[in-house]
């Protein structure tokens, strides 16, 4: 059977394309059970996107959870491989989280990939490229925003800001809120130079060629330089393979710095009002779990594509075929199977249902088909 | 065809002031001045479309992308914490979020404080920062009535001049945070319309600077 594009919802279609894409780059599928021990999530609560987890007791009394996340399970099941070894896996799983809009639990389809082990710049670049290609598979009109938490923490650490203030500063950066940042700096008595540099960071976004020199001008020390070098290498490599014009640098893309450390990115497609792809380097999570490996990965939130069907079906069926009681079943069956042969959708009924849109209205009478109506 | 920039304005006096600023910045839409029942007003040539919504709904329109840009009070942003960019402080609609109480109120820290407010998240966060146990009473209006009738010990509300408080024998007790109108933008839409949204923000910023001068 051949699949007609129109038959697949955007999300389903994307799953097929993404699976093939990740396999082409040597990623192998990771399959997990629906349940995971609850302890895993308690220990790493802040790594999860939302708070709630659905829990239940197994027959032996053990507390289990319906998985709210896949990454933690992948990390748990991976091993530190030593120099030059990294395991590359992708997944397509349902996760259970509290929906931001309904405040109730929701089953969400998620696809993503993780690269765990000895992560070098090539591995990072490949993950970022796959993120760009994933977005491209969903829509031609996409943007991938890159930031680097190494640069952000280098700045914050250089000027020794307290942990509580750090959170507020990061919040301002994520809102592009320069006026708020200035007020905050004044109220906590932060260094004027720090305030100036953070404001510069907020306004530095756009094409890498324009933004990277501005970042260098911040003069934020060796750790920051290393972060900017990484950004430069990655963006240049993406440019080389033709993905340069869709990649921007933007430091409003941030995440919890107690888990994420290096490069961080978020993907957007025109027409969906929020990010649909999010990922980055999260070595600190592994460190917390007592591991020596590094890790980078991303997830695509396929549930957000639900309202994105570009070519939504205008018609419920192509042909509405009416027949009467007593029609010869063999003949009718034959007529329907001929009509459906080239992919046409046929709904055979004895009457016209309410609120239905069809391209053609046919009737089967006296052993033959008759067109009653065309179009709607 | 370039797509339109949708702008959500808060209904009311503040919104009209804000529209004046848009007009001064060169983002005008003459049809908005006409007295009619239309809900949206478009200036096709400039590629902008305005619409009036309830002030507390602006953030929802922007967060969900129905509006690219909106003007919302900082009180709404603090209360609902929408995931949006906050690009500019317009410096108008200035007031403050404050705790107010009856003139003879004396706080007894040993007791749970009863707080009446429309802004439950702001109140909760403020008192959590002080490790204070509170009992939140969510009201939708006439907040000032609560301490008078003994429904609550204090209220958390917006104070502009303090006149309403005074008339009811209430006084502002402490300020939580200063409030003013902010320009907000949808994070995803900003990526695809950044140049034009930036132009609007810059235009408004220069009008702000003029107002200050």
């Amino acid at each position: 059977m051949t699949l007609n594009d129109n038959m697949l919802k955007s999300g389903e279609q994307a799953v097929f394309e993404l699976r093939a894409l990740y396999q082409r780059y040597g990623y192998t599928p990771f399959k997990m059970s629906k349940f995971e021990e609850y302890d895993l999530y308690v220990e790493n609560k802040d790594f999860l996107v939302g708070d709630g987890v659905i829990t239940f007791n197994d027959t032996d009394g053990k507390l289990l959870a319906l998985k709210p996340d896949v990454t933690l399970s992948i990390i748990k099941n991976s091993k530190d491989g030593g120099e030059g070894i990294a395991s590359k896996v992708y997944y397509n799983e349902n996760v259970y989280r509290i929906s931001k809009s309904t405040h109730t639990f929701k089953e969400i389809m998620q696809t993503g990939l993780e690269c765990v082990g000895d992560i070098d710049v090539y591995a990072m670049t490949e993950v970022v490229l796959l993120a760009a290609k994933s977005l491209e598979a969903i829509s031609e009109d996409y943007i991938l925003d890159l930031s680097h938490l190494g640069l952000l923490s280098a700045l914050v650490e250089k000027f020794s800001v307290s942990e509580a203030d750090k959170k507020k500063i990061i919040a301002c950066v994520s809102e592009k809120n320069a006026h708020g940042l200035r007020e905050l700096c004044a109220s906590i008595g932060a260094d004027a130079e720090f305030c100036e540099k953070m404001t510069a960071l907020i306004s530095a976004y756009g094409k890498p060629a324009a933004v990277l020199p501005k970042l260098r001008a911040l003069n934020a020390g060796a750790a920051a330089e290393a972060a900017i070098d990484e950004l430069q290498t990655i963006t240049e490599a993406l440019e080389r393979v033709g993905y340069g014009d869709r990649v921007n640098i933007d430091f409003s893309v941030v995440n919890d710095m107690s888990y994420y450390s290096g490069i961080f990115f978020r993907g957007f497609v025109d027409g969906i009002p929020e990010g649909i792809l999010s990922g980055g380097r999260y070595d600190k999570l592994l460190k917390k779990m007592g591991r020596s490996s590094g890790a980078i990965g991303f997830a695509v939130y396929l549930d957000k594509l639900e309202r994105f069907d570009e070519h939504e079906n205008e018609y419920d069926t192509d042909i509405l075929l009416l027949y009467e009681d007593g029609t010869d079943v063999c003949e009718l069956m034959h007529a329907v199977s001929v009509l459906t042969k080239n992919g046409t959708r046929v709904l055979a009924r004895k009457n016209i249902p309410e609120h239905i849109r069809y391209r053609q209205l046919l009737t089967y009478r006296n052993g033959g088909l008759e067109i009653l109506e065309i179009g709607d | 065809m370039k797509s339109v920039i949708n702008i959500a304005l808060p209904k009311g006096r503040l919104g009209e002031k804000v529209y004046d600023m848009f007009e001064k910045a060169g983002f005008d839409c003459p049809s908005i001045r006409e007295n009619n029942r239309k809900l949206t007003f478009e200036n096709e040539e400039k590629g902008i479309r305005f619409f009036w919504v309830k002030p507390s709904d602006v953030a929802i329109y922007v967060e969900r992308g129905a509006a690219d840009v909106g003007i919302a009070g900082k009180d709404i942003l603090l209360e609902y914490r929408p995931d949006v960019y906050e690009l500019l402080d317009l410096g108008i609609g200035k007031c403050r979020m404050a705790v107010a109480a009856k003139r003879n109120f004396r706080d007894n820290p040993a007791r749970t404080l009863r707080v009446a407010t429309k802004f439950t998240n702001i109140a909760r966060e403020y008192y959590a920062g002080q490790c204070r146990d509170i009992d939140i009473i969510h009201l939708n209006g006439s907040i000032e009535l609560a301490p008078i009738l003994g429904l609550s010990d204090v209220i958390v509300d917006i104070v502009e001049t303090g006149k309403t408080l005074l008339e009811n024998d209430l006084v502002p007790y402490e300020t939580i945070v200063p409030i003013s109108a902010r320009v907000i933008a949808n994070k995803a839409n900003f990526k695809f319309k950044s140049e034009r949204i930036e132009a609007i923000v810059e235009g408004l910023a220069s009008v702000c600077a003029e107002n200050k001068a």
Side-chain angles (χ1 to χ4, degrees):
Chain A
M1 189 179 89
T2 52
L3 285 175
N4 178 341
D5 275 357
N6 290 322
M7 282 162 63
L8 292 171
K9 285 193 233 145
S10 301
E12 292 168 341
Q13 207 172 317
V15 170
F16 285 115
E17 282 178 43
L18 297 181
R19 209 179 280 172
L21 169 66
Y22 304 150
Q23 274 178 0
R24 278 206 299 281
Y25 282 79
Y27 283 74
T28 52
F30 176 89
K31 191 75 202 148
M32 71 173 288
S33 98
K34 272 196 169 53
F35 317 136
E36 179 72 79
E37 283 178 34
Y38 180 59
D39 283 355
L40 179 67
Y41 304 117
V42 178
E43 283 158 15
N44 304 288
K45 197 176 138 269
D46 295 333
F47 184 76
L48 302 176
V49 174
D51 268 339
V53 177
I54 304 176
T55 57
F56 62 97
N57 288 95
D58 204 352
T59 47
D60 59 0
K62 196 188 269 176
L63 192 57
L64 294 181
L66 273 176
K67 61 179 187 290
D69 168 90
V70 185
T71 308
L72 284 171
S73 305
I74 291 179
I75 300 300
K76 195 182 93 175
N77 291 308
S78 67
K79 289 189 185 71
D80 293 331
E83 205 176 318
I85 298 171
S87 76
K88 298 180 174 185
V89 296
Y90 73 87
Y91 60 85
N92 175 228
E93 296 276 344
N94 285 325
V95 294
Y96 303 86
R97 289 181 181 166
I98 295 177
S99 149
K100 236 171 71 182
S101 49
T102 62
H103 302 287
T104 51
F105 279 103
K106 213 179 154 192
E107 186 180 53
I108 292 166
M109 188 169 40
Q110 204 180 72
T111 278
L113 59 82
E114 311 292 342
C115 180
V116 188
D118 183 15
I119 310 289
D120 58 6
V121 184
Y122 174 75
M124 279 194 284
T125 312
E126 189 181 75
V127 170
V128 179
L129 174 71
L130 287 173
K133 282 181 181 271
S134 302
L135 292 167
E136 193 185 30
I138 292 160
S139 165
E140 282 171 5
D141 213 354
Y142 71 92
I143 280 174
L144 184 66
D145 272 352
L146 292 183
S147 81
H148 202 297
L149 300 180
L151 174 59
L152 210 55
S153 61
L155 268 171
V156 177
E157 262 144 46
K158 195 179 169 199
F159 291 91
S160 53
V161 182
S162 80
E163 207 51 42
D165 293 334
K166 202 161 119 180
K167 272 208 169 135
K168 291 184 194 160
I169 288 169
I170 303 291
C172 284
V173 173
S174 77
E175 289 170 357
K176 289 191 190 288
N177 187 345
H179 53 274
L181 184 79
R182 274 192 288 267
E183 270 167 36
L184 181 65
C185 284
S187 74
I188 61 171
D191 201 289
E193 193 193 343
F194 171 72
C195 181
E196 191 190 305
K197 288 191 169 168
M198 290 306 288
T199 340
L201 192 68
I202 289 180
S203 59
Y205 60 88
K207 290 276 154 281
V211 176
L212 287 168
K214 287 187 198 165
L215 298 180
R216 298 239 184 246
L218 292 174
N219 273 328
E225 281 303 311
I228 300 169
D229 285 343
E230 239 175 61
L231 275 177
Q232 179 151 13
T233 314
I234 290 170
T235 49
E236 277 172 5
L238 291 177
E239 179 100 52
R240 173 80 172 76
V241 288
Y243 284 82
D245 55 337
R246 289 284 167 190
V247 176
N248 285 341
I249 290 179
D250 192 324
F251 279 85
S252 70
V253 169
V254 287
N255 208 324
D256 192 334
M257 281 163 64
S258 48
Y259 290 97
Y260 292 90
S261 44
I263 187 121
F264 193 77
F265 48 90
R266 194 161 289 155
F268 301 85
V269 303
D270 200 4
I272 299 180
E274 52 192 335
I276 59 157
L277 179 150
S278 174
R281 185 97 190 242
Y282 52 95
D283 294 17
K284 285 186 181 168
L285 170 70
L286 282 91
K287 214 169 172 186
K288 278 192 180 181
M289 294 169 100
R291 302 274 301 277
S292 61
S293 294
I296 180 169
F298 63 79
V300 187
Y301 306 112
L302 295 166
D303 59 308
K304 291 182 182 165
L305 303 184
E306 198 182 62
R307 302 211 155 265
F308 188 59
D309 273 308
E310 277 170 330
H311 31 66
E312 196 141 14
N313 275 324
E314 233 181 294
Y315 297 97
D316 301 303
T317 181
D318 296 316
I319 293 172
L320 178 60
L321 176 60
L322 296 177
Y323 64 91
E324 290 157 358
D325 274 332
T327 307
D328 181 343
V329 176
C330 293
E331 287 307 311
L332 179 62
M333 192 76 259
H334 178 71
V336 171
S337 76
V338 167
L339 285 172
T340 54
K341 223 165 211 161
N342 49 6
T344 308
R345 295 169 300 163
V346 180
L347 173 66
R349 281 188 64 130
K350 276 191 238 169
N351 48 24
I352 302 176
E354 262 184 278
H355 309 300
I356 194 170
R357 296 189 61 146
Y358 46 80
R359 274 181 217 279
Q360 279 184 45
L361 181 64
L362 266 58
T363 179
Y364 188 84
R365 217 177 276 156
N366 310 324
L369 289 169
E370 224 176 275
I371 297 175
L372 295 181
E373 206 181 309
I374 293 181
D376 185 41
Chain B
M1 193 196 83
K2 71 176 180 181
S3 57
V4 184
I5 302 280
N6 287 306
I7 303 166
L9 295 175
K11 251 184 225 166
R13 218 159 25 120
L14 175 71
E16 273 157 35
K17 259 187 179 170
V18 170
Y19 174 72
D20 290 343
M21 292 179 80
F22 271 96
E23 200 174 55
K24 261 193 196 165
F27 298 97
D28 56 314
C29 181
S31 62
I32 210 167
R33 300 277 191 201
E34 290 162 19
N35 215 349
N36 59 26
R37 284 169 178 275
K38 265 172 73 173
L39 295 172
T40 63
F41 305 91
E42 190 168 341
N43 184 337
E44 271 177 48
E45 180 199 339
K46 300 216 161 131
I48 46 175
R49 183 194 292 140
F50 289 98
F51 47 91
W52 300 104
V53 300
K54 201 173 164 186
S56 53
D57 289 342
V58 170
I60 298 172
Y61 279 82
V62 175
E63 187 179 29
R64 292 192 168 239
D68 302 300
V69 176
I71 312 298
K74 185 68 181 173
D75 51 328
I76 300 298
L77 301 180
L78 289 171
E79 180 63 19
Y80 299 106
R81 300 249 167 225
D83 188 18
V84 295
Y85 286 138
E86 184 185 322
L87 299 172
L88 183 68
D89 181 350
L90 286 179
I92 59 169
K94 277 189 180 170
C95 52
R96 61 201 164 111
M97 186 62 69
V99 181
K102 282 213 301 215
R103 195 175 292 283
N104 58 3
F105 168 72
R106 282 200 58 230
D107 191 9
N108 178 358
R111 281 213 324 226
T112 301
L113 188 70
R114 294 171 306 155
V115 184
T117 185
K118 215 174 354 179
F119 301 94
T120 50
N121 291 334
I122 294 177
R124 204 170 278 136
E125 208 171 298
Y126 176 67
Y127 284 106
Q130 304 181 345
C131 297
R132 185 71 199 267
D133 227 0
I134 59 164
D135 179 8
I136 290 250
I137 304 160
H138 182 257
L139 296 177
N140 291 306
S142 306
I143 318 285
E144 295 86 0
L145 205 53
I148 296 170
L149 297 180
L151 176 64
S152 76
D153 301 314
V154 297
I155 62 171
V156 166
D157 206 7
I158 288 173
V159 178
E160 210 177 323
T161 57
K163 224 174 135 195
T164 322
L165 291 178
L166 212 64
E167 279 170 12
N168 291 296
D169 206 28
L170 300 173
V171 284
Y173 194 68
E174 36 198 359
T175 296
I176 298 179
V177 63
I179 305 286
S180 58
R182 311 293 162 100
V183 179
I184 57 173
N186 178 277
K187 284 189 171 180
N189 296 4
F190 183 86
K191 314 281 163 199
F192 299 96
K193 299 173 174 175
S194 56
E195 268 171 40
R196 292 161 63 213
I197 294 178
E198 273 164 30
I200 291 174
V201 173
E202 269 166 39
L204 290 173
S206 57
V207 175
C208 280
E210 267 173 47
N211 285 355
K212 264 188 201 163

